[in-house]
Structures are given as structure tokens and as C-alpha cells.
Amino acid sequence: MELLSQMWSLLGLLTVLQNVLPSQLLSLLHSLWQSLQDSLTPYSYLDVPEFLGSSAVEPNDLYRQVHLYLHHSLLHSPNHSSAPLPRLTLSLPRGAGGDPSAANPVLSLSPNHSLEDSFAGHRLLWTHHSDTLQDSLEERRSFSLRLPKRAPASGLLRPYLAHLSAAADALERSSRHRRLHTNSPRGGPPSWSSVPFRHPATFATLALDPALKSRLLADLSAFAAGRDFYRRTGRPWKRGYLLHGPPGSGKSSLIAAMANHLRYDVFDLELTRVSHNSDLRSLLIQTTNRSLIVIEDIDCSLDLTGDRRRSTKSTTPTSDARNRKKRQRIQSYEDSDSIIDGGGDDSDGRVTLSGLLNFTDGLWSCCGEERIIVFTTNYADGVDPALLRAGRMDVHVRLGACGAHAVRELVERYVGVAEHELLGVAESCVRAGAEMTPAEVGEVLLRNREEPEKAMRELVAELQARVRHGGGGGGNGGGEEEEGWEEGSPVESWEGSPEKVGRKGRAGWERRVRFLGRLKSLTKSDSGRRGV
């Protein structure tokens, strides 16, 4: 009882001293007490505040990384399945785009509780602090890290923070909600608007040649993991892809698959909505890291090569007709934009080739990192060569007619048929020169997806008709090159369909006539066996 009364007396004395002594002296005494504790304890303590400085304006990026690391990695790690968990906070954030089904419950460490971690044989302790400021409702949050003094700070702290940063980066990449952005029409300040990006295309669903698919996946993965490489070589952390091929060859689907594979946002830039080069630069600055910047139909968006060719005349009727069609498409885009903007002459303010070159490879293109710029076109020869050199468009990918492997893959995916007697006939037609894009093959199979037999018969009939007519039924009217890869300068070419290489020079009409005779007898015998 006497001891209890002495404790109460001591507490009363401390209360009186706290009210009487100046705040500066109290702060000094508190610092001395903490110094005494730090000298006696075997641990070192490091604070990670939520904001930098006393104004609490600039966020501390390390706090965000620790938050991700603890809340997503440690709390769900199998290392903590046997150990009792501390007090946790359960929350359900709003899903992307307001879709509650897209949101997952989130476990987080409650304020003023701790969680252990282990690294390189050492036990570390993270504590989440949350303090309310005096005479204010504002909270100051921070994390503190406790690590043993016997471990050298430079030998433990730096590798551990590098491990934490890499883990948080991977977690953020895998869990972030991605957006599809488009630029605003003319007439207002250049800006982006966005919707949730939920395109279902992946590399697993693309009907690409396996060698081309593997090369693309390896290149994209190497780019995403290339932070140290790009810093060591002094190159901006960006990469350019040119996707060219006939309509329906899968260019847009490939872009969606790239975005889903890397988990990047997509910025779909419509050049006809951009008035000046300065607006183009402003839009570039507003894009985020880890994004794909896409300009589709680059040869039709603007007449970027008009200034260079103004004094040069077309040399062939084909190129002249193509240029006329291109000018008509550009004029139709500009007319529709002028209707939206309410009319007006903007001939003095326009995006030039120089502005687009600076956008892709100038000093302003280095204002962010981990960005991929993608151009698409139906005609690669309609794009100014200055846009296509290495350093701007580093990789050129040809997407053309389906090869035999792509046809088999599409049939299996659409109608669920892995083996069929007509599959060999379809593959023979492809090798003989029949050309159908993935979109055309998919449409034939889609409308007959409930009747696999009918789907196969219609697909074979369409391929046979295209063999008789010289291969082309869509796209560029036949003669489009197969899928392939071109990189750098000099150009390295990868053919996506080896069984079709060289058919233009060697497969003459005599060979096709002999093939059609054998094909007709084969299909008649198949029909007789099935009673068709």
C-alpha cells in the first residue's frame, strides 16, 4: 500500500512539473530519456513518416512501399501462417469504375501494432504509428523499423530496402487497376479522360505463330525488367513498336495483350484532335509511367509526310491511287473534327512531322520512364521513314494472313475441335496460298460455334475459294507478307509461318491446278463417307 501511494505521488509530481516547466525543457528531457533508452537497448530504430518535412505536403514514397510490402506481402506470406497475427484492419475499397465485384477485401496492419519480418538471418520488426496532433483532428502516420545493432547498417539495411522496394513494385504492378485513356477534342486545354481497361485479349488467346509470340514475350519481359540496364547505358527507358498488316490481322488485339501482359495503362492518342505541337508535348507530359502510348493508323491520322513530298510526284499509278485514298481519309477525319469543334480554320496550328519526332525521340520523351510507344498502320510504306528508324520504332512486327498453326489454334478455341479430318484440308489450303486474316477465320467459326461440323465445312469451302482466286480475299487484296519480326538497322526479319515462306515465287498456277484436282477428289471422298 505504501508503494502504491509513492507511485501516485510521483505521478502527481510529474503532472505538476509538466504544467510548470517550459515546453523547451520538457522536450530536452524527453530527448535525453530517449537517448538513454537507445544506449541501453540492443536495437536501432528507423522512422519512415508518411510525408516529408513539417508541412506534410510531399508524400514519402518509401512509406507507400512499406505499406504495400506489409499489407500485401507479409500478411499473406506462408511464413506467417503459423505465427499469431497482430490486430488487423479489414476494408473493402470501391472497385475500378464503381464495380463492387472487382474489389477484394484488404487486410492492413492496425495503428500502433507491430509485425515481424526476417531477412538474411536477422529478425526485424515493423510498427505502424498513428498519432493525433494536439488541438487538431489531423493524424500523423509513420512506420518504424527495429533492427539489431550488431548487424552493420550498410550490410543489412541497403539490401533489405532493395528487397522491399522490388517486392512492393511487383505487388503494385499486379494489383493496380488499369485505365484506358483518350485525349480530349480540340477547343479546350489538352487533357486525358479515361475508363477502366478490361480488354480480354492475352497472349494465350492470340493466334500468333509460336516463334513470334515467344520473341514478343521475351522482349516485353526484358524491357519491363530493364531499369538497371537503361540507367547503365544512358538510354531513356522506352521502346517503340510498329505493328503493320491488313485490317483484321490482330493489331489492336496484340496491343491489348501487351498491356495485359505488362499490366500497363493505355493512352490512345488521336492525332486529329491535337491542334499544335505544344499540345502534343503537353499530352505527353500528362501520361504516366508504365503505360502504352498508342497511335493507330499513323499513316491516316495526319498528312505528316506531305511537306516532304510536296515537290515530288508519284511514280506509279498504284502509289498515286493510294495517296488519293489516304488524303480522302485524312480529310474525312479533319471534317468530322471540325464539326465537333464548331468549325473554324486551323491551318496555321497543326501537328507536324517534327513535332511527332520530338514526341517519340526528343528531349521531352524522357520526362517519364517505362513507356512503350506503339504505331499501327495497314501500309508500312505509307509512313515516313524518319518515324521508323531504330530508337523510335525499335521493333517492326508484321501481322498478316493466318498460317496453318493459327488456323488450327482458332478452330480449337472457337468450336472446341482439336482433331478433325478437315483440319488437314484447311492447312493444305493455307500452304497452297489461301489467305484469311484471324478476324475472317474467327467470323466463320463464330457464326457456327454451336455446330463444329458446319463450321469446318464452311471454313474449308472459303479457303478453297481463295485458293482458286489466287489467295487473297480480304486485307490488301492478297500478297500480304506473313507474320514476322523486324528489329534494328539493318533490319532482321523473322518469318512467322515457315511453311508458307517463298510461296509467291515458287507456287505457280500449274502447281495450284494440280493441287485443286487432288483436293476435289479428297473432299468428294470425305463427303461420301459422311453421307453429305
Side-chain angles (χ1 to χ4, degrees), residues 5-50:
S5 63
Q6 290 178 355
M7 290 180 60
W8 279 110
S9 300
L10 180 61
L11 289 175
L13 178 62
L14 291 175
T15 304
V16 172
L17 291 176
Q18 186 175 5
N19 294 328
V20 173
L21 295 178
S23 59
Q24 294 84 353
L25 181 58
L26 288 173
S27 178
L28 178 60
L29 292 174
H30 181 71
S31 299
L32 291 174
W33 173 249
Q34 283 190 331
S35 300
L36 179 62
Q37 284 183 317
D38 291 342
S39 63
L40 297 177
T41 181
Y43 299 105
S44 297
Y45 293 88
L46 300 173
D47 293 329
V48 182
E50 184 179 9

mmCIF file of all heavy atoms in Angstrom, residues 5-50:
data_model
loop_
_atom_site.group_PDB
_atom_site.id
_atom_site.type_symbol
_atom_site.label_atom_id
_atom_site.label_comp_id
_atom_site.label_asym_id
_atom_site.label_seq_id
_atom_site.Cartn_x
_atom_site.Cartn_y
_atom_site.Cartn_z
ATOM 1 N N SER A 5 1.085 4.319 -2.866
ATOM 2 C CA SER A 5 0.948 5.750 -2.572
ATOM 3 C C SER A 5 2.154 6.535 -3.070
ATOM 4 O O SER A 5 2.022 7.674 -3.544
ATOM 5 C CB SER A 5 0.770 5.950 -1.062
ATOM 6 O OG SER A 5 1.909 5.505 -0.351
ATOM 7 N N GLN A 6 3.339 5.922 -3.002
ATOM 8 C CA GLN A 6 4.530 6.597 -3.523
ATOM 9 C C GLN A 6 4.448 6.782 -5.047
ATOM 10 O O GLN A 6 4.860 7.816 -5.577
ATOM 11 C CB GLN A 6 5.778 5.803 -3.144
ATOM 12 C CG GLN A 6 6.113 5.850 -1.659
ATOM 13 C CD GLN A 6 7.327 5.016 -1.322
ATOM 14 O OE1 GLN A 6 7.870 4.319 -2.183
ATOM 15 N NE2 GLN A 6 7.771 5.083 -0.057
ATOM 16 N N MET A 7 3.916 5.774 -5.731
ATOM 17 C CA MET A 7 3.751 5.884 -7.196
ATOM 18 C C MET A 7 2.770 6.999 -7.544
ATOM 19 O O MET A 7 3.001 7.774 -8.470
ATOM 20 C CB MET A 7 3.275 4.555 -7.759
ATOM 21 C CG MET A 7 4.328 3.440 -7.711
ATOM 22 S SD MET A 7 3.705 1.898 -8.391
ATOM 23 C CE MET A 7 3.322 2.422 -10.052
ATOM 24 N N TRP A 8 1.684 7.079 -6.799
ATOM 25 C CA TRP A 8 0.730 8.148 -7.070
ATOM 26 C C TRP A 8 1.360 9.519 -6.804
ATOM 27 O O TRP A 8 1.105 10.481 -7.546
ATOM 28 C CB TRP A 8 -0.521 7.968 -6.192
ATOM 29 C CG TRP A 8 -1.491 6.967 -6.727
ATOM 30 C CD1 TRP A 8 -1.782 5.750 -6.217
ATOM 31 C CD2 TRP A 8 -2.302 7.116 -7.892
ATOM 32 N NE1 TRP A 8 -2.718 5.110 -6.972
ATOM 33 C CE2 TRP A 8 -3.068 5.942 -8.030
ATOM 34 C CE3 TRP A 8 -2.458 8.127 -8.846
ATOM 35 C CZ2 TRP A 8 -3.976 5.721 -9.054
ATOM 36 C CZ3 TRP A 8 -3.372 7.924 -9.865
ATOM 37 C CH2 TRP A 8 -4.109 6.740 -9.988
ATOM 38 N N SER A 9 2.182 9.615 -5.818
ATOM 39 C CA SER A 9 2.865 10.879 -5.524
ATOM 40 C C SER A 9 3.818 11.257 -6.647
ATOM 41 O O SER A 9 3.907 12.427 -7.055
ATOM 42 C CB SER A 9 3.642 10.762 -4.193
ATOM 43 O OG SER A 9 2.795 10.461 -3.131
ATOM 44 N N LEU A 10 4.520 10.256 -7.179
ATOM 45 C CA LEU A 10 5.438 10.514 -8.281
ATOM 46 C C LEU A 10 4.695 10.968 -9.535
ATOM 47 O O LEU A 10 5.123 11.913 -10.214
ATOM 48 C CB LEU A 10 6.262 9.254 -8.570
ATOM 49 C CG LEU A 10 7.282 9.352 -9.710
ATOM 50 C CD1 LEU A 10 8.320 10.446 -9.388
ATOM 51 C CD2 LEU A 10 7.982 8.014 -9.930
ATOM 52 N N LEU A 11 3.583 10.333 -9.814
ATOM 53 C CA LEU A 11 2.781 10.738 -10.969
ATOM 54 C C LEU A 11 2.253 12.159 -10.794
ATOM 55 O O LEU A 11 2.214 12.957 -11.749
ATOM 56 C CB LEU A 11 1.617 9.756 -11.169
ATOM 57 C CG LEU A 11 1.983 8.357 -11.673
ATOM 58 C CD1 LEU A 11 0.750 7.462 -11.712
ATOM 59 C CD2 LEU A 11 2.594 8.458 -13.077
ATOM 60 N N GLY A 12 1.833 12.490 -9.578
ATOM 61 C CA GLY A 12 1.367 13.844 -9.333
ATOM 62 C C GLY A 12 2.474 14.860 -9.515
ATOM 63 O O GLY A 12 2.250 15.954 -10.075
ATOM 64 N N LEU A 13 3.683 14.499 -9.063
ATOM 65 C CA LEU A 13 4.809 15.408 -9.237
ATOM 66 C C LEU A 13 5.124 15.620 -10.713
ATOM 67 O O LEU A 13 5.399 16.748 -11.147
ATOM 68 C CB LEU A 13 6.030 14.843 -8.502
ATOM 69 C CG LEU A 13 7.331 15.646 -8.626
ATOM 70 C CD1 LEU A 13 7.140 17.049 -8.032
ATOM 71 C CD2 LEU A 13 8.484 14.917 -7.914
ATOM 72 N N LEU A 14 5.067 14.545 -11.486
ATOM 73 C CA LEU A 14 5.340 14.666 -12.926
ATOM 74 C C LEU A 14 4.295 15.549 -13.608
ATOM 75 O O LEU A 14 4.615 16.338 -14.502
ATOM 76 C CB LEU A 14 5.367 13.276 -13.567
ATOM 77 C CG LEU A 14 6.551 12.374 -13.180
ATOM 78 C CD1 LEU A 14 6.386 10.985 -13.802
ATOM 79 C CD2 LEU A 14 7.866 13.004 -13.646
ATOM 80 N N THR A 15 3.061 15.421 -13.176
ATOM 81 C CA THR A 15 1.996 16.252 -13.763
ATOM 82 C C THR A 15 2.229 17.718 -13.445
ATOM 83 O O THR A 15 2.057 18.598 -14.304
ATOM 84 C CB THR A 15 0.632 15.795 -13.235
ATOM 85 O OG1 THR A 15 0.448 14.407 -13.515
ATOM 86 C CG2 THR A 15 -0.487 16.593 -13.875
ATOM 87 N N VAL A 16 2.630 18.000 -12.203
ATOM 88 C CA VAL A 16 2.898 19.392 -11.823
ATOM 89 C C VAL A 16 4.078 19.940 -12.609
ATOM 90 O O VAL A 16 4.046 21.071 -13.122
ATOM 91 C CB VAL A 16 3.154 19.481 -10.306
ATOM 92 C CG1 VAL A 16 3.635 20.878 -9.924
ATOM 93 C CG2 VAL A 16 1.888 19.135 -9.533
ATOM 94 N N LEU A 17 5.145 19.126 -12.730
ATOM 95 C CA LEU A 17 6.313 19.585 -13.488
ATOM 96 C C LEU A 17 5.974 19.831 -14.951
ATOM 97 O O LEU A 17 6.484 20.766 -15.576
ATOM 98 C CB LEU A 17 7.442 18.552 -13.367
ATOM 99 C CG LEU A 17 8.089 18.416 -11.976
ATOM 100 C CD1 LEU A 17 9.121 17.285 -11.983
ATOM 101 C CD2 LEU A 17 8.750 19.731 -11.571
ATOM 102 N N GLN A 18 5.108 18.999 -15.544
ATOM 103 C CA GLN A 18 4.729 19.169 -16.949
ATOM 104 C C GLN A 18 3.971 20.474 -17.161
ATOM 105 O O GLN A 18 4.093 21.106 -18.215
ATOM 106 C CB GLN A 18 3.868 17.977 -17.396
ATOM 107 C CG GLN A 18 3.552 17.980 -18.884
ATOM 108 C CD GLN A 18 2.821 16.726 -19.300
ATOM 109 O OE1 GLN A 18 2.479 15.908 -18.442
ATOM 110 N NE2 GLN A 18 2.572 16.577 -20.576
ATOM 111 N N ASN A 19 3.211 20.905 -16.155
ATOM 112 C CA ASN A 19 2.466 22.154 -16.284
ATOM 113 C C ASN A 19 3.311 23.372 -15.955
ATOM 114 O O ASN A 19 3.002 24.491 -16.376
ATOM 115 C CB ASN A 19 1.238 22.124 -15.373
ATOM 116 C CG ASN A 19 0.224 21.076 -15.817
ATOM 117 O OD1 ASN A 19 0.107 20.799 -17.005
ATOM 118 N ND2 ASN A 19 -0.498 20.501 -14.861
ATOM 119 N N VAL A 20 4.364 23.163 -15.153
ATOM 120 C CA VAL A 20 5.174 24.291 -14.696
ATOM 121 C C VAL A 20 6.383 24.523 -15.581
ATOM 122 O O VAL A 20 6.706 25.666 -15.956
ATOM 123 C CB VAL A 20 5.610 24.063 -13.222
ATOM 124 C CG1 VAL A 20 6.605 25.135 -12.772
ATOM 125 C CG2 VAL A 20 4.395 24.051 -12.301
ATOM 126 N N LEU A 21 7.077 23.460 -15.958
ATOM 127 C CA LEU A 21 8.311 23.600 -16.722
ATOM 128 C C LEU A 21 8.027 24.063 -18.141
ATOM 129 O O LEU A 21 6.987 23.727 -18.732
ATOM 130 C CB LEU A 21 9.063 22.266 -16.753
ATOM 131 C CG LEU A 21 9.577 21.743 -15.399
ATOM 132 C CD1 LEU A 21 10.249 20.394 -15.582
ATOM 133 C CD2 LEU A 21 10.543 22.745 -14.766
ATOM 134 N N PRO A 22 8.937 24.839 -18.741
ATOM 135 C CA PRO A 22 8.766 25.282 -20.128
ATOM 136 C C PRO A 22 8.766 24.088 -21.093
ATOM 137 O O PRO A 22 9.378 23.043 -20.817
ATOM 138 C CB PRO A 22 9.973 26.200 -20.377
ATOM 139 C CG PRO A 22 10.492 26.545 -19.024
ATOM 140 C CD PRO A 22 10.157 25.410 -18.117
ATOM 141 N N SER A 23 8.086 24.251 -22.213
ATOM 142 C CA SER A 23 7.991 23.162 -23.191
ATOM 143 C C SER A 23 9.357 22.804 -23.773
ATOM 144 O O SER A 23 9.624 21.639 -24.091
ATOM 145 C CB SER A 23 7.029 23.560 -24.323
ATOM 146 O OG SER A 23 7.481 24.741 -24.967
ATOM 147 N N GLN A 24 10.264 23.808 -23.921
ATOM 148 C CA GLN A 24 11.597 23.512 -24.446
ATOM 149 C C GLN A 24 12.369 22.589 -23.513
ATOM 150 O O GLN A 24 13.052 21.656 -23.946
ATOM 151 C CB GLN A 24 12.392 24.808 -24.664
ATOM 152 C CG GLN A 24 11.845 25.718 -25.741
ATOM 153 C CD GLN A 24 10.739 26.620 -25.236
ATOM 154 O OE1 GLN A 24 10.296 26.466 -24.086
ATOM 155 N NE2 GLN A 24 10.298 27.542 -26.079
ATOM 156 N N LEU A 25 12.223 22.825 -22.195
ATOM 157 C CA LEU A 25 12.918 21.987 -21.226
ATOM 158 C C LEU A 25 12.335 20.580 -21.204
ATOM 159 O O LEU A 25 13.064 19.584 -21.116
ATOM 160 C CB LEU A 25 12.837 22.623 -19.842
ATOM 161 C CG LEU A 25 13.555 21.865 -18.705
ATOM 162 C CD1 LEU A 25 15.035 21.690 -19.032
ATOM 163 C CD2 LEU A 25 13.376 22.595 -17.377
ATOM 164 N N LEU A 26 11.010 20.484 -21.331
ATOM 165 C CA LEU A 26 10.375 19.174 -21.380
ATOM 166 C C LEU A 26 10.818 18.390 -22.605
ATOM 167 O O LEU A 26 11.058 17.179 -22.539
ATOM 168 C CB LEU A 26 8.854 19.331 -21.382
ATOM 169 C CG LEU A 26 8.210 19.782 -20.067
ATOM 170 C CD1 LEU A 26 6.722 20.047 -20.276
ATOM 171 C CD2 LEU A 26 8.422 18.726 -18.986
ATOM 172 N N SER A 27 10.937 19.094 -23.728
ATOM 173 C CA SER A 27 11.397 18.439 -24.947
ATOM 174 C C SER A 27 12.830 17.941 -24.794
ATOM 175 O O SER A 27 13.183 16.839 -25.245
ATOM 176 C CB SER A 27 11.295 19.407 -26.134
ATOM 177 O OG SER A 27 11.782 18.799 -27.308
ATOM 178 N N LEU A 28 13.667 18.729 -24.127
ATOM 179 C CA LEU A 28 15.049 18.324 -23.899
ATOM 180 C C LEU A 28 15.115 17.091 -22.995
ATOM 181 O O LEU A 28 15.872 16.143 -23.252
ATOM 182 C CB LEU A 28 15.818 19.480 -23.276
ATOM 183 C CG LEU A 28 17.291 19.203 -22.913
ATOM 184 C CD1 LEU A 28 18.091 18.813 -24.156
ATOM 185 C CD2 LEU A 28 17.910 20.419 -22.223
ATOM 186 N N LEU A 29 14.311 17.093 -21.915
ATOM 187 C CA LEU A 29 14.288 15.947 -21.018
ATOM 188 C C LEU A 29 13.801 14.687 -21.734
ATOM 189 O O LEU A 29 14.312 13.579 -21.506
ATOM 190 C CB LEU A 29 13.389 16.246 -19.809
ATOM 191 C CG LEU A 29 13.895 17.322 -18.842
ATOM 192 C CD1 LEU A 29 12.838 17.613 -17.771
ATOM 193 C CD2 LEU A 29 15.214 16.886 -18.192
ATOM 194 N N HIS A 30 12.808 14.849 -22.613
ATOM 195 C CA HIS A 30 12.299 13.702 -23.378
ATOM 196 C C HIS A 30 13.374 13.148 -24.312
ATOM 197 O O HIS A 30 13.525 11.924 -24.441
ATOM 198 C CB HIS A 30 11.056 14.134 -24.163
ATOM 199 C CG HIS A 30 10.444 13.023 -24.969
ATOM 200 N ND1 HIS A 30 9.778 11.965 -24.389
ATOM 201 C CD2 HIS A 30 10.404 12.805 -26.317
ATOM 202 C CE1 HIS A 30 9.353 11.149 -25.322
ATOM 203 N NE2 HIS A 30 9.716 11.638 -26.504
ATOM 204 N N SER A 31 14.133 14.045 -24.943
ATOM 205 C CA SER A 31 15.204 13.606 -25.834
ATOM 206 C C SER A 31 16.300 12.873 -25.064
ATOM 207 O O SER A 31 16.835 11.855 -25.528
ATOM 208 C CB SER A 31 15.808 14.804 -26.577
ATOM 209 O OG SER A 31 14.840 15.446 -27.361
ATOM 210 N N LEU A 32 16.627 13.382 -23.849
ATOM 211 C CA LEU A 32 17.643 12.719 -23.027
ATOM 212 C C LEU A 32 17.183 11.332 -22.608
ATOM 213 O O LEU A 32 17.964 10.369 -22.586
ATOM 214 C CB LEU A 32 17.960 13.578 -21.801
ATOM 215 C CG LEU A 32 18.705 14.898 -22.071
ATOM 216 C CD1 LEU A 32 18.824 15.710 -20.772
ATOM 217 C CD2 LEU A 32 20.094 14.628 -22.657
ATOM 218 N N TRP A 33 15.898 11.210 -22.269
ATOM 219 C CA TRP A 33 15.365 9.911 -21.866
ATOM 220 C C TRP A 33 15.412 8.922 -23.034
ATOM 221 O O TRP A 33 15.776 7.750 -22.861
ATOM 222 C CB TRP A 33 13.944 10.090 -21.348
ATOM 223 C CG TRP A 33 13.228 8.805 -21.047
ATOM 224 C CD1 TRP A 33 12.176 8.269 -21.702
ATOM 225 C CD2 TRP A 33 13.554 7.888 -19.993
ATOM 226 N NE1 TRP A 33 11.801 7.085 -21.148
ATOM 227 C CE2 TRP A 33 12.630 6.819 -20.080
ATOM 228 C CE3 TRP A 33 14.509 7.880 -18.974
ATOM 229 C CZ2 TRP A 33 12.651 5.749 -19.195
ATOM 230 C CZ3 TRP A 33 14.542 6.800 -18.107
ATOM 231 C CH2 TRP A 33 13.619 5.746 -18.215
ATOM 232 N N GLN A 34 15.076 9.392 -24.243
ATOM 233 C CA GLN A 34 15.141 8.513 -25.406
ATOM 234 C C GLN A 34 16.584 8.117 -25.718
ATOM 235 O O GLN A 34 16.860 6.972 -26.104
ATOM 236 C CB GLN A 34 14.515 9.206 -26.621
ATOM 237 C CG GLN A 34 12.999 9.209 -26.616
ATOM 238 C CD GLN A 34 12.427 9.671 -27.938
ATOM 239 O OE1 GLN A 34 13.046 10.469 -28.644
ATOM 240 N NE2 GLN A 34 11.239 9.190 -28.268
ATOM 241 N N SER A 35 17.506 9.051 -25.556
ATOM 242 C CA SER A 35 18.916 8.730 -25.792
ATOM 243 C C SER A 35 19.411 7.678 -24.810
ATOM 244 O O SER A 35 20.182 6.771 -25.170
ATOM 245 C CB SER A 35 19.768 9.993 -25.686
ATOM 246 O OG SER A 35 19.377 10.956 -26.638
ATOM 247 N N LEU A 36 18.960 7.778 -23.555
ATOM 248 C CA LEU A 36 19.345 6.785 -22.557
ATOM 249 C C LEU A 36 18.789 5.412 -22.917
ATOM 250 O O LEU A 36 19.485 4.389 -22.814
ATOM 251 C CB LEU A 36 18.840 7.224 -21.178
ATOM 252 C CG LEU A 36 19.143 6.270 -20.008
ATOM 253 C CD1 LEU A 36 20.653 6.117 -19.823
ATOM 254 C CD2 LEU A 36 18.473 6.764 -18.723
ATOM 255 N N GLN A 37 17.534 5.392 -23.373
ATOM 256 C CA GLN A 37 16.937 4.127 -23.792
ATOM 257 C C GLN A 37 17.680 3.533 -24.985
ATOM 258 O O GLN A 37 17.941 2.324 -25.036
ATOM 259 C CB GLN A 37 15.462 4.335 -24.144
ATOM 260 C CG GLN A 37 14.544 4.476 -22.940
ATOM 261 C CD GLN A 37 13.093 4.596 -23.383
ATOM 262 O OE1 GLN A 37 12.782 5.313 -24.332
ATOM 263 N NE2 GLN A 37 12.200 3.894 -22.685
ATOM 264 N N ASP A 38 18.022 4.383 -25.973
ATOM 265 C CA ASP A 38 18.703 3.896 -27.172
ATOM 266 C C ASP A 38 20.089 3.338 -26.850
ATOM 267 O O ASP A 38 20.559 2.395 -27.489
ATOM 268 C CB ASP A 38 18.830 5.027 -28.203
ATOM 269 C CG ASP A 38 17.479 5.425 -28.777
ATOM 270 O OD1 ASP A 38 16.533 4.625 -28.646
ATOM 271 O OD2 ASP A 38 17.375 6.541 -29.328
ATOM 272 N N SER A 39 20.762 3.926 -25.843
ATOM 273 C CA SER A 39 22.100 3.438 -25.493
ATOM 274 C C SER A 39 22.044 2.104 -24.770
ATOM 275 O O SER A 39 23.005 1.328 -24.807
ATOM 276 C CB SER A 39 22.817 4.471 -24.632
ATOM 277 O OG SER A 39 22.125 4.668 -23.407
ATOM 278 N N LEU A 40 20.929 1.824 -24.090
ATOM 279 C CA LEU A 40 20.812 0.585 -23.332
ATOM 280 C C LEU A 40 20.198 -0.548 -24.150
ATOM 281 O O LEU A 40 20.431 -1.717 -23.850
ATOM 282 C CB LEU A 40 19.963 0.821 -22.069
ATOM 283 C CG LEU A 40 20.541 1.817 -21.047
ATOM 284 C CD1 LEU A 40 19.572 2.016 -19.891
ATOM 285 C CD2 LEU A 40 21.902 1.337 -20.524
ATOM 286 N N THR A 41 19.400 -0.239 -25.179
ATOM 287 C CA THR A 41 18.735 -1.288 -25.951
ATOM 288 C C THR A 41 19.676 -1.866 -27.001
ATOM 289 O O THR A 41 20.542 -1.156 -27.532
ATOM 290 C CB THR A 41 17.466 -0.722 -26.637
ATOM 291 O OG1 THR A 41 16.815 -1.766 -27.357
ATOM 292 C CG2 THR A 41 17.833 0.371 -27.634
ATOM 293 N N PRO A 42 19.533 -3.155 -27.353
ATOM 294 C CA PRO A 42 20.373 -3.760 -28.391
ATOM 295 C C PRO A 42 19.866 -3.516 -29.811
ATOM 296 O O PRO A 42 20.370 -4.138 -30.754
ATOM 297 C CB PRO A 42 20.314 -5.249 -28.046
ATOM 298 C CG PRO A 42 18.978 -5.432 -27.408
ATOM 299 C CD PRO A 42 18.701 -4.153 -26.660
ATOM 300 N N TYR A 43 18.896 -2.632 -29.977
ATOM 301 C CA TYR A 43 18.298 -2.415 -31.293
ATOM 302 C C TYR A 43 18.493 -0.966 -31.744
ATOM 303 O O TYR A 43 18.648 -0.059 -30.934
ATOM 304 C CB TYR A 43 16.789 -2.728 -31.265
ATOM 305 C CG TYR A 43 16.473 -4.158 -30.887
ATOM 306 C CD1 TYR A 43 15.987 -4.463 -29.617
ATOM 307 C CD2 TYR A 43 16.643 -5.193 -31.800
ATOM 308 C CE1 TYR A 43 15.685 -5.762 -29.259
ATOM 309 C CE2 TYR A 43 16.341 -6.508 -31.456
ATOM 310 C CZ TYR A 43 15.870 -6.788 -30.188
ATOM 311 O OH TYR A 43 15.583 -8.075 -29.839
ATOM 312 N N SER A 44 18.430 -0.809 -33.070
ATOM 313 C CA SER A 44 18.373 0.520 -33.695
ATOM 314 C C SER A 44 16.974 0.719 -34.259
ATOM 315 O O SER A 44 16.325 -0.241 -34.693
ATOM 316 C CB SER A 44 19.410 0.635 -34.816
ATOM 317 O OG SER A 44 20.717 0.506 -34.308
ATOM 318 N N TYR A 45 16.518 1.970 -34.279
ATOM 319 C CA TYR A 45 15.177 2.287 -34.749
ATOM 320 C C TYR A 45 15.255 3.321 -35.876
ATOM 321 O O TYR A 45 15.988 4.308 -35.774
ATOM 322 C CB TYR A 45 14.313 2.830 -33.602
ATOM 323 C CG TYR A 45 14.003 1.801 -32.534
ATOM 324 C CD1 TYR A 45 14.884 1.613 -31.469
ATOM 325 C CD2 TYR A 45 12.863 1.028 -32.608
ATOM 326 C CE1 TYR A 45 14.622 0.666 -30.486
ATOM 327 C CE2 TYR A 45 12.586 0.084 -31.619
ATOM 328 C CZ TYR A 45 13.465 -0.102 -30.571
ATOM 329 O OH TYR A 45 13.201 -1.036 -29.606
ATOM 330 N N LEU A 46 14.481 3.083 -36.939
ATOM 331 C CA LEU A 46 14.414 3.994 -38.080
ATOM 332 C C LEU A 46 12.957 4.354 -38.322
ATOM 333 O O LEU A 46 12.085 3.471 -38.378
ATOM 334 C CB LEU A 46 14.999 3.347 -39.336
ATOM 335 C CG LEU A 46 16.471 2.919 -39.259
ATOM 336 C CD1 LEU A 46 16.858 2.145 -40.508
ATOM 337 C CD2 LEU A 46 17.363 4.137 -39.103
ATOM 338 N N ASP A 47 12.660 5.634 -38.441
ATOM 339 C CA ASP A 47 11.297 6.113 -38.675
ATOM 340 C C ASP A 47 11.082 6.380 -40.163
ATOM 341 O O ASP A 47 11.952 6.938 -40.838
ATOM 342 C CB ASP A 47 11.022 7.387 -37.881
ATOM 343 C CG ASP A 47 10.999 7.133 -36.377
ATOM 344 O OD1 ASP A 47 10.602 6.014 -35.986
ATOM 345 O OD2 ASP A 47 11.384 8.032 -35.611
ATOM 346 N N VAL A 48 9.889 6.012 -40.663
ATOM 347 C CA VAL A 48 9.500 6.256 -42.055
ATOM 348 C C VAL A 48 8.190 7.026 -42.026
ATOM 349 O O VAL A 48 7.096 6.424 -41.949
ATOM 350 C CB VAL A 48 9.343 4.938 -42.844
ATOM 351 C CG1 VAL A 48 8.991 5.229 -44.301
ATOM 352 C CG2 VAL A 48 10.603 4.091 -42.746
ATOM 353 N N PRO A 49 8.222 8.373 -42.034
ATOM 354 C CA PRO A 49 6.979 9.155 -41.978
ATOM 355 C C PRO A 49 6.210 9.096 -43.302
ATOM 356 O O PRO A 49 6.768 8.803 -44.355
ATOM 357 C CB PRO A 49 7.473 10.575 -41.682
ATOM 358 C CG PRO A 49 8.852 10.613 -42.254
ATOM 359 C CD PRO A 49 9.424 9.230 -42.082
ATOM 360 N N GLU A 50 4.919 9.373 -43.196
ATOM 361 C CA GLU A 50 4.070 9.357 -44.396
ATOM 362 C C GLU A 50 4.389 10.518 -45.322
ATOM 363 O O GLU A 50 4.306 10.391 -46.542
ATOM 364 C CB GLU A 50 2.597 9.397 -43.983
ATOM 365 C CG GLU A 50 1.633 9.294 -45.149
ATOM 366 C CD GLU A 50 0.186 9.321 -44.708
ATOM 367 O OE1 GLU A 50 -0.081 9.588 -43.510
ATOM 368 O OE2 GLU A 50 -0.685 9.081 -45.565
#
